[in-house]
């Protein structure tokens, strides 16, 4: 019988991580005879939620079992063991047998991607549909746990191989040769992405916290993720790795238009024309957008690098689609759109006007006021017939999509190399999709990718 388990919010600031719970649960399930035909899923949700855990990631395990209740008990006891409730984890788990009902889970997923979802609403929906669930802490994790069941393999998706550390190494610096990371990404271009930031010259695959994730490699297919991982160089002995199917790198959270008035923490897109562009503190750029006659303030933050540079090239009249999340307004500041990317639809002609040259002595003339002509302060000549000189300024931006530097992109941000390479059919499990010290000989079907 098909069984699904959605998990969320087992991590805290001090360690643990929801994907690690998946990595621990699968060997346990395999050892009790459960079988896997589908990749576990790593589901990212709205990155703009302030009370999220680090990456706002939920996990969905999808397997077959003759004894679903025993399998669910196994996962539940691991959840209790591994959730860092003392340090702020608010775990949630949802258990389903049979195919997950899209009617139930799809709306929760869609709302959790681009809005704010109340855990009480989710709990009510689950209860009234007799869906088994459990929570720890304040139970906020029920939202992601339920939402993870609404993400489908038929949605655009990518894969991530996540490698895990042995407990004794957690908290020590991760050492991966950045040169090898860059070479792996180059060799497997365009099927490996967001591993290396060429502009900053640094590797992006390893996190920095105390959690058990050693590194993650994002790719278009499981076998390419594994190949890239095999090209890396590191000395640490690892606990193993696992390949996830994921909504990462797909822009899934940006598919709906932002509603007016802007609602706090929502994500989506907005089209309009630029009214003004200006620099703020800390290297931020503020764009005032005219969206159907309504003025919408937008901000591109300094760390976004490439995106900040390009936003400085915008000028009044440029037509844009802005993608991002809404920062809550306060009494001092209105709600503002934090720009995650923008698409330039058309570039306005930017014209600079200069006072005319004096027809007598060629010095620059001064305006006498609107409609009163010009006077030359050099030779005193006056003229009403000369006009300001219009120069068309060369623009350093053209229609297209602009993204932050790779290091500043969200987990959900779709990298440029993926445009036109969307994937809506899952690959079959490949041999070695999970390697774990706790189960040495795992039998998984070894089929070649479709
Ligand atoms: Zn003159």
């Amino acid at each position: 019988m098909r069984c699904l388990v959605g998990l969320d919010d087992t991590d805290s600031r001090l360690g643990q991580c929801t994907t690690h719970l998946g990595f621990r649960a699968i060997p346990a399930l395999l050892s009790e005879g459960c079988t896997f035909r589908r990749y576990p899923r790593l589901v990212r949700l709205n990155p703009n939620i302030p009370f999220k855990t680090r990456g706002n990631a939920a996990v969905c395990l999808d397997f077959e079992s003759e004894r679903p209740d025993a399998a669910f008990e196994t996962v539940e006891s691991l959840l209790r063991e591994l959730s860092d409730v003392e340090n702020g984890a608010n775990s949630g788990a949802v258990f389903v047998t049979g195919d997950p009902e899209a009617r139930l889970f799809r709306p929760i997923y869609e709302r959790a991607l681009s809005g704010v979802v109340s855990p009480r609403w989710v709990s009510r929906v689950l209860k009234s549909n007799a869906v088994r669930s459990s929570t720890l802490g304040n139970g906020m994790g029920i939202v992601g746990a339920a939402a993870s069941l609404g993400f489908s393999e038929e949605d655009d998706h990518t894969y991530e191989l996540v490698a895990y550390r042995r407990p004794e190494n957690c908290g020590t610096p991760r050492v991966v040769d950045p040169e090898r990371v860059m070479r792996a990404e180059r060799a497997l271009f365009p099927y490996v992405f967001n591993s290396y930031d060429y502009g900053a010259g640094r590797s992006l695959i390893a996190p920095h916290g105390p959690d058990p994730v050693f590194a993650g490699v994002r790719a278009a297919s499981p076998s390419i993720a594994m190949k890239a991982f095999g090209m890396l160089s590191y000395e640490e002995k690892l606990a193993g790795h696992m390949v996830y199917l994921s909504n990462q790198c797909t822009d899934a959270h940006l598919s709906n238009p932002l509603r007016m008035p802007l609602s706090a923490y929502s994500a989506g897109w907005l089209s309009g024309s630029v009214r003004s562009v200006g620099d703020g503190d800390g290297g931020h750029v503020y764009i005032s957008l005219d969206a159907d006659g309504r003025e919408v303030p937008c901000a591109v933050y300094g760390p976004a690098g490439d995106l900040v540079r390009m936003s400085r090239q915008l000028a009044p009249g440029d037509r844009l689609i802005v993608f991002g999340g809404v920062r809550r307004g306060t009494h001092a500041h209105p709600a503002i759109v934090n720009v995650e990317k923008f698409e330039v639809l058309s570039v306005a002609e930017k014209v600079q006007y200069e006072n005319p040259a004096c027809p007598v002595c060629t010095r620059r003339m001064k305006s006498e006021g609107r409609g009163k002509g010009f006077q030359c302060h050099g030779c005193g000549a006056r003229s009403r017939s000369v006009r300001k000189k219009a120069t068309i300024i060369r623009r350093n931006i053209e229609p297209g999509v602009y993204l932050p530097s790779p290091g500043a992109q969200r987990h959900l941000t779709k990298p440029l190399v993926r445009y036109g390479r969307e994937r809506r059919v899952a690959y079959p499990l490949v041999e070695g999709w999970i390697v774990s010290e706790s189960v040495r000989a795992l039998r998984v079907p070894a089929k070649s990718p479709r």
Side-chain angles (χ1 to χ4, degrees):
M1 176 175 248
R2 186 175 179 192
C3 300
L4 292 106
V5 179
L7 298 165
D8 188 30
D9 206 349
T10 62
D11 45 347
S12 67
R13 266 164 242 295
L14 299 177
Q16 285 314 327
C17 156
T18 308
T19 76
H20 185 244
L21 176 59
F23 174 70
R24 292 283 306 276
I26 290 178
L29 292 169
L30 285 163
S31 68
E32 13 183 289
C34 301
T35 53
F36 282 75
R37 285 189 210 157
R38 295 179 176 88
Y39 286 97
R41 296 187 274 282
L42 166 53
V43 184
R44 298 283 177 179
L45 300 169
N46 190 352
N48 304 295
I49 302 280
F51 35 83
K52 65 177 180 188
T53 50
R54 282 186 309 267
N56 208 3
V59 161
C60 175
L61 308 178
D62 190 343
F63 55 96
E64 307 283 324
S65 173
E66 300 291 296
R67 299 185 304 130
D69 285 332
F72 293 159
E73 299 297 331
T74 300
V75 179
E76 211 166 358
S77 66
L78 270 172
L79 177 75
R80 277 193 299 271
E81 182 193 327
L82 295 175
S83 288
D84 197 357
V85 177
E86 279 105 88
N87 290 306
N90 295 305
S91 314
V94 173
F95 307 93
V96 167
T97 51
D99 294 335
E101 277 187 83
R103 169 189 69 84
L104 215 60
F105 297 106
R106 191 68 183 178
I108 300 175
Y109 172 58
E110 284 174 359
R111 286 207 209 178
L113 263 178
S114 54
V116 183
V117 181
S118 137
R120 288 172 63 190
W121 172 70
V122 174
S123 296
R124 256 202 322 275
V125 170
L126 297 178
K127 198 170 270 178
S128 62
N129 287 277
V131 177
R132 177 173 168 176
S133 65
S134 75
T135 57
L136 296 170
N138 72 11
M140 188 93 78
I142 198 72
V143 174
S148 76
L149 271 63
F151 167 56
S152 155
E153 295 172 322
E154 286 156 31
D155 292 322
D156 180 28
H157 62 262
T158 60
Y159 295 83
E160 178 165 354
L161 180 150
V162 186
Y164 297 95
R165 317 183 82 180
R166 287 176 158 184
E168 66 267 26
N169 294 326
C170 292
T172 64
R174 296 160 176 87
V175 182
V176 187
D177 181 1
E179 175 79 21
R180 298 286 283 267
V181 176
M182 182 188 72
R183 291 218 300 253
E185 181 160 308
R186 278 222 175 124
L188 298 166
F189 177 87
Y191 303 110
V192 169
F193 28 84
N194 290 22
S195 299
Y196 194 80
D197 188 330
Y198 290 91
R202 66 185 179 99
S203 156
L204 302 173
I205 63 168
H208 301 284
D211 57 285
V213 172
F214 177 68
V217 178
R218 294 173 183 187
S221 83
S223 48
I224 290 170
M226 286 163 59
K227 189 167 181 184
F229 185 67
M231 293 169 74
L232 304 183
S233 158
Y234 50 88
E235 309 232 312
E236 186 171 325
K237 189 108 178 77
L238 300 175
H241 70 247
M242 187 157 105
V243 175
Y244 278 100
L245 185 155
S246 179
N247 65 349
Q248 292 176 153
C249 306
T250 67
D251 275 355
H253 63 312
L254 300 176
S255 46
N256 297 315
L258 284 169
R259 283 206 222 121
M260 291 292 161
L262 293 173
S263 93
Y265 316 125
S266 59
W269 58 267
L270 189 71
S271 66
S273 62
V274 175
R275 276 192 190 176
S276 63
V277 182
D279 281 293
D281 298 337
H284 309 324
V285 174
Y286 291 93
I287 303 166
S288 169
L289 198 70
D290 181 333
D292 294 328
R294 196 190 284 258
E295 185 177 352
V296 181
C298 304
V300 186
Y301 290 106
D306 294 348
L307 194 64
V308 172
R309 239 186 346 273
M310 291 321 293
S311 61
R312 288 209 178 94
Q313 300 297 331
L314 293 169
D318 290 349
R319 292 206 47 86
L320 296 186
I321 304 177
V322 161
F323 299 79
V326 177
R327 194 181 71 192
R328 194 168 68 96
T330 62
H331 46 264
H333 302 281
I336 194 166
V337 177
N338 286 346
V339 182
E340 288 178 39
K341 73 168 186 180
F342 58 77
E343 179 172 1
V344 176
L345 301 176
S346 65
V347 177
E349 199 165 73
K350 194 174 172 185
V351 182
Q352 194 178 2
Y353 292 94
E354 280 176 314
N355 286 347
C358 171
V360 179
C361 73
T362 75
R363 280 188 215 218
R364 189 75 56 208
M365 299 180 89
K366 292 261 159 61
S367 172
E368 298 275 77
R370 188 174 272 268
K372 292 190 183 138
F374 293 87
Q375 185 185 9
C376 175
H377 289 195
C379 69
R382 283 165 188 267
S383 170
R384 277 179 174 257
S385 60
V386 293
R387 294 265 171 274
K388 285 199 175 198
K389 188 176 148 224
T391 317
I392 295 174
I393 307 284
R394 210 188 96 88
R395 299 290 308 279
N396 292 316
I397 192 164
E398 51 189 38
V401 174
Y402 296 91
L403 297 185
S405 307
Q409 290 175 16
R410 311 270 206 183
H411 296 294
L412 279 162
T413 304
K414 180 172 170 175
L416 291 175
V417 294
R418 287 205 71 247
Y419 284 69
R421 294 196 175 90
E422 294 77 9
R423 171 101 199 163
R424 293 190 167 83
V425 182
Y427 286 92
L429 292 181
V430 291
E431 196 162 356
W433 68 274
I434 180 164
V435 170
S436 163
E437 288 188 322
S438 53
V439 175
R440 295 232 168 241
L442 297 175
R443 279 190 195 130
V444 290
K447 289 180 213 149
S448 56
R450 280 174 223 164

